[in-house]
Amino acid sequence: MNQFIDSKKRAHALEITLGTALKVREAIGVDLLNPTDKTDNGDPLSTRLLYDDVFLGVVCYHLLADQLAEREISKDDFLNALDGESTKRLDKAFWDEYRFFFQARGKEWIVEATKLDVAARDDALAKTLASVQSSVSTGGASTNLQVVPDSETLDL
């Protein structure tokens, strides 16, 4: 079981079991126990969980559904309490719990694959940040961001 704290300072204990995985599958049609399954947008589940924070939040809402119902925390309240910092904590707790489940099942290939996927994502984010910082420090415009035109030039 892995815990994280949301922006309202509430602790939530993520636990992946057959029962919680079934709740997710019944609620949104996602089979957490098959990370290579395609999701409704065509991405493999593991990829979507890595890069789609809203999707991760919704999946975790369903993993926590019983706990949240006991504490009278609605889906909107739960998701609205996931700011940037708490989403980062949720992400770490989820991936730690996900790996723990598969490690206990003896599916080391999934454990190693998720470690590599998370590391690759984090490395790509770090490289993007370094590129933006380098571009800004040299006075150049970032090629990764689009410049919003001055409001005076917009025809509203």
Side-chain angles (χ1 to χ4, degrees):
M1 188 177 311
N2 283 277
Q3 291 192 353
F4 72 97
I5 307 290
D6 68 19
S7 67
K8 293 183 178 181
K9 308 297 183 218
R10 298 177 299 206
H12 304 283
L14 275 175
E15 185 174 25
I16 297 176
T17 66
L18 294 180
T20 59
L22 180 60
K23 283 187 185 304
V24 172
R25 184 167 53 185
E26 288 174 343
I28 59 174
V30 171
D31 184 1
L32 281 179
L33 305 184
N34 191 346
T36 60
D37 265 4
K38 300 284 188 203
T39 60
D40 60 354
N41 75 350
D43 287 337
L45 174 62
S46 59
T47 300
R48 189 147 179 216
L49 287 165
L50 279 167
Y51 293 100
D52 186 340
D53 289 340
V54 172
F55 182 71
L56 177 64
V58 169
V59 166
C60 289
Y61 166 77
H62 291 291
L63 284 172
L64 295 165
D66 290 343
Q67 290 176 52
L68 296 173
E70 286 174 9
R71 295 162 59 193
E72 297 181 355
I73 299 172
S74 70
K75 182 178 180 179
D76 283 345
D77 189 30
F78 174 73
L79 293 174
N80 285 329
L82 294 176
D83 62 3
E85 289 180 21
S86 56
T87 299
K88 184 176 181 177
R89 291 188 294 266
L90 168 68
D91 181 79
K92 180 177 180 349
F94 174 82
W95 288 105
D96 288 349
E97 181 64 21
Y98 203 56
R99 284 190 295 271
F100 177 78
F101 178 86
F102 287 111
Q103 186 172 17
R105 287 276 296 119
K107 295 187 176 186
E108 288 297 322
W109 71 271
I110 295 175
V111 174
E112 291 305 313
T114 60
K115 283 180 185 177
L116 292 172
D117 287 346
V118 170
R121 177 199 61 187
D122 294 348
D123 185 51
L125 292 173
K127 286 179 182 176
T128 300
L129 175 61
S131 173
V132 169
Q133 288 172 330
S134 173
S135 180
V136 169
S137 70
T138 60
S142 169
T143 58
N144 297 317
L145 302 174
Q146 294 184 9
V147 176
V148 177
D150 186 17
S151 61
E152 294 177 7
T153 63
L154 296 176
D155 183 20
L156 301 175

